[in-house]
Amino acid sequence: MKKKLMAVICIAMAALMCVTLFACKDGMFDGDFTEPAPAAKAREVWNAASEAINGGVAEAALADEDENVRVKGWTGVSFEVNAEKYLGAGYDDASVVGTGKVNASGSMLFDMSGFALNGTVTGSVNDTALDIKLGAYMQNNVYYADMVMADAALQAKADASDSSVIPDANSILGSMLTGISGGLAAISIDYTGEILSAFPYDELEEMGMKTYIDESGDYTRIKFQLPVELIARLQSDESEDSFAQAILSADISLIIAVNKDNGNFAGAKIDMGYEFKGDIGGANAGTGTRMSLSFNDCTAVEGYPANMTEFKDISEFTSTDIIDFFTELSKNMGALLGIS
């Protein structure tokens, strides 16, 4: 039950950002991308990222024995996720209007010995508003939760060694926080990995992909201005042609940074936006998205709140309290997505 509940929450959060759709190092993705990149250099940087994400994935187990996201040669990852979506749909006299906005950043060690996630999720479905604060942390073998949703709040800490008099509550809280943090960290990496493998590089060039270079500072950065067909392949469960025909406007770019000294992959940033509409009989729908996903390697976690040692001990809550809170969180996320 615990793993199922955690999975539902993570899927809902991932869906919010992927359907709509870090404590990053300053300047890693900033540049003057006006100079065309040499073809050989652009391919070299692309291949370095692909090898690190798709070709060198090292499996690691989380506390619940699920696989965690890894990048070859990295100890951990810092990430940022920003996404905004609107959706309108109608059929006869029925209609649904929804908006959603996600802002989250954090850092995580791949062995899950430390992580810090801070974020907000806001939006509405028709007249129902949603406003969620997400805070999930792990430091020195202690889990910390700082979450607010409507009138419900959870601010608690739990010993990861299960030394509490109610170890089930410790385990449940730890699984939830680990799943949410790992799920959000995974989105940026997985999305980049999908872009890198969606089409062969030569085919992207044939489609008209453009590349630009900036080599200021410590990094070589290549900006890949990608073809619209790639959005269709990433976003649609139906045929790419049908999806592409419904697009009103679209743009997608990927910035890949490598270290100048050794050429190793250092981080990536995706910027994407699109609008599309469809009409079938008496039904019509339209949606729009802007999102930015970025991540880089990290060796130490930052972003812990100053007061987290003052959070209530998990012994002041019951397992039911915790399960009920996260169940309600999942239900509200589902309502925002229109999947409940």
Side-chain angles (χ1 to χ4, degrees):
M1 176 181 175
K2 292 183 290 185
K3 293 182 73 173
K4 182 178 179 181
L5 178 58
M6 184 183 70
V8 169
I9 294 169
C10 290
I11 290 170
M13 296 184 72
L16 176 61
M17 273 149 298
C18 291
V19 175
T20 64
L21 359 134
F22 96 143
C24 268
K25 297 176 181 177
D26 292 341
M28 178 176 286
F29 305 113
D30 297 331
D32 178 18
F33 296 104
T34 56
E35 180 183 346
K41 175 59 72 172
R43 187 184 290 265
E44 176 186 326
V45 168
W46 182 279
N47 289 342
S50 183
E51 168 63 20
I53 298 173
N54 294 327
V57 177
E59 295 182 357
L62 297 177
D64 63 350
E65 300 181 353
D66 289 337
E67 289 184 4
N68 194 13
V69 176
R70 303 285 298 237
V71 179
K72 183 179 179 181
W74 290 14
T75 302
V77 61
S78 292
F79 58 93
E80 183 171 346
V81 175
N82 297 292
E84 189 167 3
K85 174 189 174 68
Y86 74 83
L87 170 68
Y91 181 74
D92 292 336
D93 295 331
S95 64
V96 176
V97 177
T99 63
K101 189 173 183 179
V102 179
N103 301 104
S105 62
S107 52
M108 180 186 78
L109 301 179
F110 288 132
D111 63 5
M112 300 311 289
S113 62
F115 57 79
L117 164 69
N118 296 283
T120 59
V121 180
T122 59
S124 64
V125 177
N126 290 344
D127 296 328
T128 302
L130 177 65
D131 190 347
I132 295 175
K133 170 190 175 183
L134 297 173
Y137 315 97
M138 163 62 139
Q139 185 181 47
N140 298 328
N141 217 33
V142 179
Y143 294 111
Y144 301 88
D146 187 12
M147 300 189 179
V148 179
M149 175 185 55
D151 296 327
L154 179 66
Q155 193 176 74
K157 60 183 177 181
D159 188 339
S161 66
D162 281 343
S163 62
S164 168
V165 294
I166 48 172
D168 283 349
N170 280 23
S171 177
I172 293 169
L173 183 67
S175 294
M176 299 303 177
L177 300 183
T178 298
I180 289 172
S181 299
L184 278 167
I187 289 171
S188 299
I189 300 173
D190 282 353
Y191 222 86
T192 301
E194 289 180 14
I195 288 174
L196 293 168
S197 60
F199 290 97
Y201 191 86
D202 290 341
E203 189 172 341
L204 289 172
E205 287 186 316
E206 292 173 3
M207 291 179 183
M209 177 179 69
K210 299 184 182 301
T211 60
Y212 304 92
I213 189 169
D214 180 281
E215 294 192 282
S216 59
D218 298 328
Y219 306 101
T220 295
R221 308 167 191 81
I222 304 291
K223 181 175 183 178
F224 299 86
Q225 202 69 46
L226 298 161
V228 172
E229 290 88 343
L230 203 148
I231 295 180
R233 180 160 294 188
L234 293 176
Q235 297 292 324
S236 178
D237 292 329
E238 302 176 357
S239 74
E240 294 168 26
D241 288 343
S242 297
F243 188 92
Q245 289 172 9
I247 287 179
L248 297 176
S249 63
D251 61 87
I252 179 170
S253 67
L254 171 65
I255 297 173
I256 298 174
V258 299
N259 291 303
K260 277 186 177 179
D261 56 350
N262 55 22
N264 289 341
F265 174 61
K269 180 182 181 184
I270 302 166
D271 286 299
M272 185 171 78
Y274 63 83
E275 292 183 293
F276 77 91
K277 68 176 182 178
D279 297 286
I280 302 176
N284 60 83
T287 186
T289 294
R290 291 301 312 177
M291 77 174 187
S292 177
L293 311 174
S294 50
F295 69 98
N296 62 266
D297 61 330
C298 77
T299 56
V301 176
E302 299 179 353
Y304 293 113
N307 66 330
M308 67 182 187
T309 57
E310 301 171 8
F311 292 0
K312 288 183 180 180
D313 189 85
I314 198 65
S315 61
E316 299 186 39
F317 301 85
T318 67
S319 298
T320 301
D321 291 333
I322 300 169
I323 291 175
D324 286 348
F325 180 87
F326 282 101
T327 300
E328 190 67 17
L329 174 64
S330 178
K331 184 172 70 175
N332 277 274
M333 296 292 290
L336 178 61
L337 295 170
I339 61 173
S340 59

